Amino acid sequence: MALLAQSVHSSQQSLLIKLDNINHSEWLDYAALHLGSEYQGYIKRLMQLEAAISQHEIGLYGVCADCEQPIEQSRLNIDLACQRCIKCEEKYAQ
Ligand SMILES: [Zn+2]
């Protein structure tokens, strides 16, 4: 939000006003559709963190999205929002 507030682009200023008026749960989807490519990295990271929080809420945090085995703690220490164990990440990245 601070980055948006500093923007000199009128379209981003109007987005800031719009975000103030919609439900927080819709922010990411709205921002992904309406922000420029310079924000896509932030949006992707926020989506990853949101997914990790959702998994925590349903008791599936730290479980691999592909093989459903526990993700190695060493991986979670590096990225608390990682979605796959080492084996599945290697397959996914190919
Ligand atoms: Zn796995």
Side-chain angles (χ1 to χ4, degrees), residues 63-72 83-89 91:
V63 175
C64 177
D66 290 350
C67 72
E68 299 182 358
Q69 294 300 304
I71 297 172
E72 298 81 1
Q83 297 290 300
R84 292 178 182 81
C85 69
I86 291 170
K87 269 187 190 172
C88 292
E89 186 61 41
K91 280 187 221 162

Side-chain angles (χ1 to χ4, degrees), residues 6-61:
Q6 291 166 12
S7 173
V8 293
H9 297 287
S10 61
S11 63
Q12 293 177 356
Q13 288 294 335
S14 63
L15 174 64
L16 188 60
I17 293 165
K18 180 79 179 170
L19 288 176
D20 263 344
N21 292 302
I22 60 174
N23 192 301
H24 290 184
S25 65
E26 296 169 23
W27 275 15
L28 275 179
D29 290 338
Y30 189 87
L33 282 175
H34 292 89
L35 283 175
S37 58
E38 71 271 35
Y39 289 94
Q40 296 308 310
Y42 293 108
I43 291 167
K44 186 178 176 200
R45 185 61 182 157
L46 285 170
M47 286 178 168
Q48 290 169 343
L49 292 169
E50 190 178 53
I53 291 166
S54 298
Q55 289 161 343
H56 178 72
E57 287 171 352
I58 59 173
L60 290 176
Y61 176 72

